[in-house]
Amino acid sequence: MSNMLKNRYVRAILLSGLFLQIGIWVRNFAILLYVMDHTGGDPFAVSMISVAEYAPIFLFSFLAGTFADRWRPKRTMVWCDVLSALSVIAVLVTFVFGTWKAIFFATLISAVLSQFSQPSGMKLFKLHVPAEQMQAGMSAYQTLFAIFMVLGPILGTFVFQQWGMEVSMIITAVAFLASAGVLYMLPPDRVEEGERQESALLEEMASGIRYVLRSRVLSLLGICFMAAGLGIGMVQPLAIFLVTEQLQLPKESLQWLLMVQGVGMIVGGALTMALAKNVPPQRLLVLGMLGNAVALGVCGVSTHLWLTLLAQLLAGLLLPCIQIGINTMLLKYTESSFIGRVNGILTPLFTGSMVIMMSVAGVLKLHLSLMLVYEIAAILFLIGLSFILPLYRAKEGKPMPSAEQIGS
């Protein structure tokens, strides 16, 4: 851990991530609470917040990943953070002197820019973090996300209730600029061999698809990611019914399930960091998929609060294993020149399948029992597990066979 933190790129990416998480959670909860207050809790207006957050993943992820492969990663991330801050300031001015509906624009622009910034951050990891530190670095990064899943809503709600919408937007802009400042202090991007070679955008996008399809590891990861997204999306909107129908508790008790899962994610991320040198990422992935399948199965049949909380804790502990395992394997088995495009293909597979299932979860609940829905979600995790089991015994650091490599 100490050796990893001596790497200035790891420190910069983690500190940048800290500022970004502060800005994102303050912004998201300020917008959510403001829209709830201003519209009287209009479901359509509230749902548009999620649309502004998730739609760019479908529309821009692959295209942005292709450009991220073309552009220098540090410069891309700095400009994305600066432009995000400027968009928030512009929205703040519009909000003060114009229409309140412009606040959706801040989320939309930031979400679009994140599709360019996120693969660039992974590319920095690939270029500047030694292979033996990569998994620990990804574990620390995912743990940061897990911490803010617990603390972010508290922080965002506190800022909005204490100081209101305008101050929340100013804090968001300052946080984005602070992230840009941290990244700006890194050494200039090195010019990679062949960087100046020009090729058509569509040709680069097609080569990215061929790269994933011809890589057995990446193809299996894509199927696993999609299965996990389907399983999570199926049950995420139904957690409230787990409390009210299965456990016969007030709806407010949902907070305890979410809190236990969030704490589990923090502890799980820390444990994964500690085990990073001894456990290969493919084994982490198998453990995470199996553990979450068991947790979902238990939640589906449990009528006791203590057993459901235990299952939620297990899911939280092992969910980082899925995220860290997939991200680490993506970095290990992808050439740096293809990081953006591979990320732009795999990420929508997860998010897209999750959103699709979230949109039909209510219909499934009407026609199937809650227990059956949870058991189907558990089976989806087992299906994803079956596709990545062939990778379980793969040796750590084993180079990819030449048949799996493809150039532009």
Side-chain angles (χ1 to χ4, degrees):
M1 181 68 177
S2 58
N3 289 334
M4 178 193 72
L5 292 177
K6 290 179 182 177
N7 187 311
R8 67 185 305 177
Y9 286 90
V10 173
R11 293 199 307 270
I13 291 173
L14 291 177
L15 187 56
S16 166
L18 173 64
F19 287 127
L20 288 178
Q21 286 296 299
I22 292 172
I24 288 170
W25 282 101
V26 169
R27 179 201 65 197
N28 286 357
F29 264 77
I31 291 175
L32 173 63
L33 296 174
Y34 181 84
V35 170
M36 289 286 291
D37 290 344
H38 202 79
T39 65
D42 178 35
F44 177 76
V46 173
S47 67
M48 285 300 99
I49 300 173
S50 296
V51 170
E53 186 175 352
Y54 284 106
I57 297 176
F58 300 107
L59 299 177
F60 297 102
S61 183
F62 187 32
L63 178 64
T66 305
F67 278 109
D69 284 336
R70 286 183 163 197
W71 298 338
R72 299 181 186 179
K74 171 202 161 182
R75 186 165 58 184
T76 300
M77 295 174 73
V78 169
W79 273 110
C80 285
D81 289 345
V82 170
L83 291 174
S84 291
L86 292 177
S87 72
V88 171
I89 294 172
V91 167
L92 178 60
V93 173
T94 307
F95 173 74
V96 173
F97 297 103
T99 172
W100 68 270
K101 295 178 182 178
I103 61 176
F104 292 103
F105 183 74
T107 300
L108 180 64
I109 293 299
S110 183
V112 171
L113 291 170
S114 71
Q115 300 309 304
F116 292 85
S117 179
Q118 195 261 349
S120 297
M122 296 189 72
K123 190 172 182 178
L124 274 183
F125 256 100
K126 177 75 174 181
L127 292 173
H128 300 288
V129 179
E132 63 273 12
Q133 296 179 1
M134 198 173 292
Q135 185 165 306
M138 292 305 303
S139 300
Y141 197 57
Q142 291 295 337
T143 302
L144 181 66
F145 279 81
I147 291 172
F148 272 90
M149 284 188 67
V150 177
L151 300 182
I154 300 173
L155 174 64
T157 302
F158 176 79
V159 171
F160 179 78
Q161 290 179 341
Q162 291 294 316
W163 297 296
M165 190 67 183
E166 292 85 352
V167 173
S168 296
M169 292 294 100
I170 292 172
I171 290 175
T172 297
V174 171
F176 285 150
L177 290 175
S179 172
V182 169
L183 295 170
Y184 183 77
M185 299 304 292
L186 289 173
D189 290 303
R190 68 190 188 203
V191 179
E192 297 182 74
E193 186 179 352
E195 181 181 337
R196 298 186 181 275
Q197 294 180 358
E198 296 293 333
S199 59
L201 179 63
L202 290 179
E203 180 184 340
E204 290 189 19
M205 296 174 74
S207 69
I209 295 173
R210 291 196 301 270
Y211 187 88
V212 172
L213 292 177
R214 291 182 59 175
S215 167
R216 180 168 175 262
V217 173
L218 296 178
S219 297
L220 293 176
L221 283 180
I223 296 172
C224 175
F225 222 11
M226 184 169 62
L230 290 171
I232 292 173
M234 182 177 288
V235 299
Q236 189 169 358
L238 304 181
I240 187 67
F241 298 106
L242 197 68
V243 172
T244 58
E245 294 183 9
Q246 198 90 339
L247 300 176
Q248 298 292 311
L249 294 172
K251 63 181 183 299
E252 290 79 11
S253 299
L254 176 62
Q255 63 179 313
W256 303 115
L257 272 66
L258 298 178
M259 185 180 299
V260 166
Q261 186 174 26
V263 171
M265 289 181 66
I266 296 173
V267 175
L271 288 175
T272 306
M273 268 192 290
L275 298 173
K277 287 187 176 181
N278 302 317
V279 183
Q282 58 270 26
R283 297 190 181 181
L284 283 179
L285 184 52
V286 168
L287 180 63
M289 294 294 289
L290 179 60
N292 274 269
V294 172
L296 286 172
V298 171
C299 285
V301 299
S302 171
T303 57
H304 301 285
L305 178 60
W306 67 268
L307 185 57
T308 302
L309 288 175
L310 190 61
Q312 290 291 109
L313 179 62
L314 177 65
L317 283 170
L318 297 180
L319 189 58
C321 292
I322 298 177
Q323 299 164 329
I324 295 164
I326 287 178
N327 286 333
T328 303
M329 292 183 72
L330 186 153
L331 289 175
K332 284 181 177 292
Y333 291 100
T334 305
E335 299 172 45
S336 60
S337 58
F338 280 89
I339 289 287
R341 280 164 285 180
V342 171
N343 183 78
I345 292 171
L346 296 189
T347 299
L349 282 177
F350 174 78
T351 308
S353 57
M354 182 178 68
V355 173
I356 289 171
M357 291 309 298
M358 287 173 67
S359 65
V360 301
V363 177
L364 292 174
K365 170 69 171 57
L366 290 175
H367 294 87
L368 303 173
S369 69
L370 187 65
M371 181 187 74
L372 186 55
V373 172
Y374 268 81
E375 301 313 314
I376 292 173
I379 291 172
L380 286 170
F381 270 87
L382 292 177
I383 291 173
L385 172 63
S386 69
F387 279 95
I388 49 116
L389 275 177
L391 306 178
Y392 181 78
R393 296 186 182 279
K395 293 182 179 179
E396 181 73 358
K398 181 181 178 181
M400 293 179 64
S402 58
E404 295 183 357
Q405 301 291 345
I406 177 172
S408 301

